[in-house]
Amino acid sequence: MAHTQVSSNKCAGGFQKVFEHDSTELKCKMKFAVYLPPKAETDKCPVLYWLSGLTCTEQNFITKAGGQVAAAEHGIIIVAPDTSPRGCNIEGEDESWDFGTGAGFYVDATQEPWKTNYRMYSYVTEELPKLINANFPTDPDKMSISGHSMGGHGALICALKNPGKYKAVSAFAPICNPVQCPWGQKAFSGYLGPDRAAWEAYDATVLASSYSGPPLDILIDQGRDDQFLSASQLLPDNLIAVCSEKKIPVVFRLQPGYDHSYFFIYSFMNDHVKHHAKFLNA
């Protein structure tokens, strides 16, 4: 479980660090960011995992979301991985922005040539938490998950597929029903093949319809002026309908005037950290 520090910056009383390691799941070098709040110097802390969206790396969240101040206040470690394997030399991996590099979609691919490396689901739910818990002052029983867009989809499916593993989940402008939208259909057919039943295993709306785990509190913020909302890529109404039918508590906030960018995330990040703190520090 060797990992190497790439950078370290004092931030909000703690440290924003970036590390690199050789991933066994993804068979390549991967970077991940870790924010260590001041509390981590003396105590074990809960961990919030942040999953970023299409085209992002571990850098976007740590430089744009402003989550460190709230994380410092609530004593939460934030871990932000990259969004896909890197440099695998797979033919076609760099051809489009919404498939391949920077677009792992948090699934375990079953199709050639992707299935050897594109295992982001197992990386995020198994390999990375093991690495984090072995090397940082964490409380391994207290983790939660959040994300944006493709990463919001990732956060929702990780929580819904692993009842009880995450204490809470939140998302900004998540892709809620990927089997029904162009982004999801493109990614899932490439990574998972033509069988739609395989797709449904990674669709938050489908997973919510059969969820039977412990209570899971979901917070979703969505910008009303998000171009991808109007392009029917996100489809939050489908998820909300299923959640209300299944009595899964979801707070959905449609935020007037906000778009899909990190300016939107920055505006409401404190609320999300507070949401997680309520369950992580209980």
Side-chain angles (χ1 to χ4, degrees):
M1 286 212 188
H3 62 290
T4 313
Q5 184 169 292
V6 176
S7 65
S8 176
N9 300 90
K10 181 96 175 174
C11 182
F15 286 92
Q16 180 62 65
K17 295 175 180 278
V18 174
F19 298 91
E20 189 171 60
H21 76 121
D22 289 307
S23 166
T24 51
E25 285 289 356
L26 309 178
K27 317 262 187 305
C28 68
K29 273 201 184 327
M30 289 294 285
K31 286 183 180 157
F32 61 91
V34 180
Y35 177 69
L36 295 166
K39 186 183 174 190
E41 287 178 24
T42 51
D43 284 311
K44 289 190 180 327
C45 300
V47 183
L48 166 57
Y49 287 84
W50 171 272
L51 306 182
S52 288
L54 290 163
T55 75
C56 290
T57 69
E58 81 291 337
Q59 287 292 316
N60 299 69
F61 176 80
I62 67 174
T63 56
K64 294 178 176 177
Q68 293 95 337
V69 173
E73 183 190 334
H74 295 285
I76 295 171
I77 292 170
I78 303 185
V79 175
D82 202 345
T83 55
S84 78
R86 299 274 166 183
C88 298
N89 299 316
I90 300 169
E91 194 179 335
E93 70 182 351
D94 294 324
E95 275 173 19
S96 54
W97 64 276
D98 56 0
F99 185 77
T101 303
F105 265 87
Y106 305 104
V107 303
D108 285 350
T110 56
Q111 304 299 298
E112 295 289 1
W114 311 100
K115 66 182 189 183
T116 304
N117 305 96
Y118 277 68
R119 297 182 50 79
M120 286 299 292
Y121 174 74
S122 288
Y123 178 72
V124 161
T125 58
E126 298 295 335
E127 182 181 0
L128 189 58
K130 282 193 185 106
L131 177 75
I132 297 297
N133 291 335
N135 292 285
F136 297 93
T138 65
D139 180 340
D141 297 325
K142 292 193 169 177
M143 58 197 272
S144 68
I145 195 160
S146 183
H148 169 234
S149 196
M150 174 184 75
H153 140 78
L156 291 167
I157 64 165
C158 288
L160 290 164
K161 282 168 79 70
N162 297 278
K165 187 181 181 94
Y166 300 97
K167 300 292 182 205
V169 60
S170 75
F172 290 86
I175 302 170
C176 293
N177 196 184
V179 303
Q180 302 286 357
C181 80
W183 276 340
Q185 290 163 354
K186 176 178 179 176
F188 286 4
S189 55
Y191 295 135
L192 305 171
D195 179 10
R196 287 182 78 94
W199 300 9
E200 290 179 350
Y202 294 105
D203 183 298
T205 299
V206 176
L207 291 165
S209 68
S210 60
Y211 181 78
S212 59
L216 183 66
D217 277 76
I218 304 172
L219 169 63
I220 297 174
D221 272 317
Q222 171 65 59
R224 190 184 282 167
D225 290 14
D226 184 328
Q227 70 271 38
F228 300 114
L229 179 65
S230 47
S232 298
Q233 292 281 22
L234 308 177
L235 306 174
D237 294 350
N238 299 3
L239 175 62
I240 289 152
V242 168
C243 285
S244 52
E245 199 180 302
K246 293 287 295 180
K247 310 265 189 292
I248 297 170
V250 56
V251 173
F252 178 77
R253 309 191 302 185
L254 195 59
Q255 304 286 8
Y258 287 92
D259 58 21
H260 198 70
S261 72
Y262 265 87
F263 294 111
F264 159 58
I265 298 169
Y266 178 89
S267 305
F268 301 102
M269 194 65 215
N270 282 1
D271 292 352
H272 284 246
V273 175
K274 208 178 290 179
H275 169 77
H276 290 271
K278 188 167 72 178
F279 299 97
L280 291 172
N281 292 330

